[in-house]
Amino acid sequence: MEDVAVVEKSAQSQAKKLKPARKQVKPGEIEKKETPQTGKEYNIWYNKWAGGDMEDNYSNKVHAARRCSIRKDGGYTRADTSGTKYCCLFFARGQCPYGWECQYLHRLPPPAEELPETSKDCFGRDKFSDYRDDMGGVGSFLKQNRTIYIGRIKESGPGHETEEVVRRHFKEWGEIERIRVLQGRSVAFVTYLRELDAQFAKEAMACQSLDNDEILNVRWATGDPNPVAKAAEKRRLEEVGQQAIANKIDPRIIDAMRHIRALEDEEELPLALEEEEGRQAKRLRLEAGEDGAADEQAEEEEPEEEQPPQSSLLSADTLEGMKHFAEIRKRQQATSKPPPPKTGLGSLGDYGSDEDD
């Protein structure tokens, strides 16, 4: 509890060093316009009318009225003192009228470890098990997606110039890992180092423009089919998982495991040295030639020592005693004489007769 209190106090002190968040619009300045009915039923999942709407959804899009500026609009809010870790969605869209009075953060998303739930995005919205068919919406909690798709770019030069334009407009929302531009197709893919930054950039750049007053189509990118990219992403996820596990384990346990491995290596090392010394000695004996052969022949001619009897259930003393008693018994049998045989009637003479009476 004391550690939590210290962390909260440090967060509050850091928030006080920031400037207060600026109110991006005045209350009531942004009017909520309902989507014109172009179908029979309104689909809340796709946020459009269905059943008769055959035209492109982005043909009805208009340019965003405001754009967020982290440097000008960002600052501390009530969320810095209350402990809320989610960002303000309207701040990302440049339309928050509350400023420093807002209950959400008015800055880029905090580290992922500080978010209370991984099933929500940086704005606190619940993710779904799968993406929408048009790759819009909040996203999926079953996959980590750090890449956003940017369509309807007006190209005014070669591919590297378009890449520089995209980088200049999207680097404000976080550190970029790579940018890929499809020259001639007005499409670019921006991959951030963090998924939270991609979530923020997707909302901040929706229906915005770059340098040519276009209306961007920003949504989630599908998986890269390149096997090399898949293998790199797999390695990255494994490293992230190992790092997360290492951060959760007590450092004393890690040190103990390292000491045990060091001891095991030290025990295996002498055995390897003994084997190597034995091989070297044998090699020297073979190289010795005739002298070594004579020595080996002399060793072979030496009488072999009697091997001790194998251990049995009876000890050696007991066996010696039994042999001694057996010899004594043989001697007694040899010296003893048999009794003389009986003559006459033998045993029949002992019986009397009735006629004597």
Side-chain angles (χ1 to χ4, degrees), residues 5-39:
V6 170
V7 172
E8 291 180 354
K9 288 182 180 179
S10 62
Q12 293 177 5
S13 61
Q14 292 178 1
K16 290 180 180 179
K17 294 180 182 179
L18 301 174
K19 62 182 178 65
R22 187 175 70 91
K23 296 182 179 181
Q24 295 171 310
V25 295
K26 296 179 180 179
E29 184 177 351
I30 301 297
E31 297 182 1
K32 185 178 179 180
K33 297 180 180 180
E34 296 183 359
T35 306
Q37 183 172 352
T38 56

Side-chain angles (χ1 to χ4, degrees), residues 85-100:
K85 301 298 182 182
Y86 295 114
C87 298
C88 177
L89 177 61
F90 296 97
F91 164 73
R93 295 174 177 174
Q95 301 176 1
C96 183
Y98 298 107
W100 64 271

